[in-house]
Amino acid sequence: MQCVAQLRTSWRDPVEVLSAFAEEPWAIGFVSGGGGPRGRWSYVARAPEATFTGAPGQDPFEGLAELLGPASLSLADGPPFQGGVAGLACYELGDVVEPLGLSRTGWPDLAAGRYPAVLAFDHELGEVAAVGRGADATAAQAQAERALAWLDLVPEPPAGGALARGLSASDPDAYEAAVAQVVARIHAGEIFQANIARAWSGRLAPGAAPFDLFARLAGQSAAPFAAYLRLPGLAVVSNSPERFLQARDGVVETRPIKGTRPRGRSADEDACLARQLSASDKDRAENLMIVDLMRNDLARVCAPGSVRVPELFAVESFANVHHLVSTVTGRLAAGQGAVDLLRAAFPPGSITGAPKVQAMKVIAGLETPRGPYCGSLFWAGVDGALDSSVLIRTAAFVQDAEGWSVEARAGAGIVADSDPRAERLETEAKIAALLRALEGTAA
């Protein structure tokens, strides 16, 4: 049983702190924007004591469970994440859950590190907690002091101007044709819904780094599940508004997003668009299908009768769009933990479709491998706690001899009465904030 120690100090900005070592392999940050009960905590960590990267022929979930190790105690007055594993689950990890023969690119299905030292930023109290774990009290205290020392590192100033120029978008006509094909397959009874995405790609400007985009997004359009991960030769920058799975004290929550409207140009237009979204039968039906899917996924690992839907069709507003969000909860059954929960529900239903497996087959026939997009950045504590995002509003970076290439995608949930042009415009509304940040243009 590990020991845990905590040291508290005054507030620092988590993005600024992370900037000092953001280019180190395995540097990671979960930075919550917007406040509220889901935006209280941010986390920063570096230099894990062990790592796991899934390889062909392995079960990545078993590797993750081994990396996490046995359950241990946590501090009652500590943050939700008090050390454990954190990392990336790419979309194609779903091929392990339900073998579909999905193609891969250079991204691992799963990559995670075990972090014995973590900085936790309490937005509500305006404090920073340095948390350490070790075999005994002395070792735990040393790890907490190691994390506290990260606050003394010199932050890197963010880059100015354009981070990328001339990003190319996938063919809009081809996307509309793909939407029309999916609508036809829905009418034929093959599926009820599928989330189909478009891609934007290009290269970062010389001297620009992935973290520059993360810092800029945090300042321009902060999101509750923003996250950053630097891997060797790879990086993920996410400005996601969507929670995938949370577990704490055995209680599970997922908050699928389905239904979107752009923000208005005036307060009156903005309120009108939000009302339209709330009243839309199409968007409610789309949302309800995914709620039912997530209820079924949670029921695989939750106690019988414990899965509930306490909130349905809530309108939540973000920097660029309004979304329709529902909440599904449950209680983990005896013997089930965070890794079991991830396996049961991956990939997120909101970005696949219904039925999930057949929707994934449709997606695979229309898109190139997604990699990080529509996967998850997550942390899992040694005390059984878990939180994770859905990797939408996300850019994936690959490093080569000439610098960094970047790809970002945006998708739309296609249902029986979807209009191809309207769905294409929805993808453009969703990607707009990320493109503005990359290209250095004003809103």
Side-chain angles (χ1 to χ4, degrees):
M1 186 70 69
Q2 285 188 322
C3 292
V4 58
Q6 176 180 227
L7 301 170
R8 291 258 178 175
T9 189
S10 56
W11 177 257
R12 287 282 302 279
D13 178 72
V15 176
E16 182 181 74
V17 172
L18 180 57
S19 73
F21 49 87
E23 293 309 309
E24 293 180 5
W26 298 98
I28 193 165
F30 300 89
V31 179
S32 181
R38 285 180 291 278
R40 178 174 176 179
W41 293 97
S42 294
Y43 304 97
V44 163
R46 64 191 288 224
E49 62 184 357
T51 63
F52 171 81
T53 301
Q58 292 180 298
D59 183 332
F61 292 102
E62 291 181 359
L64 181 62
E66 184 177 343
L67 184 68
L68 182 59
S72 190
L73 298 176
S74 61
L75 297 170
D77 63 344
F81 183 41
Q82 299 181 24
V85 303
L88 168 69
C90 285
Y91 175 82
E92 282 73 28
L93 179 62
D95 202 26
V96 176
V97 179
E98 187 71 40
L100 298 173
L102 299 181
S103 299
R104 307 293 204 277
T105 56
W107 289 89
D109 286 353
L110 188 143
R114 186 171 67 240
Y115 296 87
V118 175
L119 285 176
F121 300 78
D122 188 337
H123 294 261
E124 183 177 296
L125 297 182
E127 295 179 351
V128 180
V131 182
R133 285 190 171 275
D136 53 37
T138 300
Q141 182 73 13
Q143 291 288 2
E145 291 172 356
R146 180 169 76 92
L148 193 67
W150 302 342
L151 298 174
D152 297 327
L153 299 175
V154 178
E156 288 289 330
L163 303 178
R165 286 289 192 198
L167 294 170
S168 60
S170 59
D171 183 0
D173 293 335
Y175 181 77
E176 291 188 21
V179 172
Q181 181 189 141
V182 173
V183 170
R185 294 169 81 163
I186 292 170
H187 284 290
E190 180 181 351
I191 54 173
F192 299 111
Q193 178 181 165
N195 188 286
I196 305 301
R198 298 175 65 196
W200 284 257
S201 59
R203 298 194 67 86
L204 290 188
F211 187 78
D212 295 322
L213 174 62
F214 185 74
R216 186 170 294 181
L217 286 167
Q220 293 180 355
S221 56
F225 296 98
Y228 171 85
L229 174 62
R230 179 71 154 84
L231 295 172
L234 303 168
V236 180
V237 169
S238 181
N239 203 40
S240 176
E242 184 172 359
R243 167 173 282 153
F244 176 30
L245 298 166
Q246 181 193 56
R248 195 171 188 191
D249 299 325
V251 176
V252 176
E253 177 185 275
T254 183
R255 304 189 75 251
I257 287 175
K258 269 296 165 212
T260 304
R261 290 292 185 280
R263 298 300 301 264
R265 291 167 292 184
S266 67
D268 288 344
E269 182 186 30
D270 194 57
C272 180
L273 288 165
R275 288 194 298 269
Q276 287 178 7
L277 177 60
S278 180
S280 168
D281 289 338
K282 170 188 176 294
D283 289 290
R284 283 173 171 252
E286 185 180 341
N287 190 287
L288 186 60
M289 277 189 267
I290 302 306
V291 166
D292 286 341
L293 188 156
M294 295 307 300
R295 287 174 63 239
N296 290 334
D297 282 354
L298 295 194
R300 297 175 183 176
V301 289
C302 285
S306 71
V307 178
R308 298 281 187 270
V309 184
E311 189 174 41
L312 195 61
F313 310 144
V315 175
E316 295 189 4
S317 299
F318 300 91
N320 224 48
V321 292
H322 301 289
H323 278 313
L324 209 58
V325 187
S326 294
T327 303
V328 184
T329 62
R331 179 170 289 280
L332 287 173
Q336 300 294 319
V339 177
D340 304 300
L341 177 60
L342 277 172
R343 185 192 289 269
F346 198 87
S350 63
I351 47 69
T352 50
K356 182 191 280 189
V357 172
Q358 190 59 33
M360 291 176 69
K361 292 179 181 179
V362 171
I363 291 166
L366 294 171
E367 296 183 31
T368 57
R370 286 179 163 182
Y373 176 68
C374 291
S376 181
L377 280 167
F378 66 92
W379 59 256
V382 294
D383 59 350
L386 167 76
D387 210 353
S388 58
S389 66
V390 179
L391 288 180
I392 55 176
R393 317 297 191 272
T394 295
F397 297 85
V398 177
Q399 192 175 34
D400 57 28
E402 298 178 359
W404 290 95
S405 64
V406 57
E407 182 189 86
R409 301 192 193 195
I414 312 305
V415 291
D417 55 351
S418 286
D419 173 71
R421 181 177 183 276
E423 301 295 356
R424 174 178 63 80
L425 293 175
E426 181 176 313
T427 68
E428 292 168 5
K430 289 174 175 176
I431 202 73
L434 198 153
L435 294 183
R436 283 198 304 268
L438 277 168
E439 296 174 346
T441 55

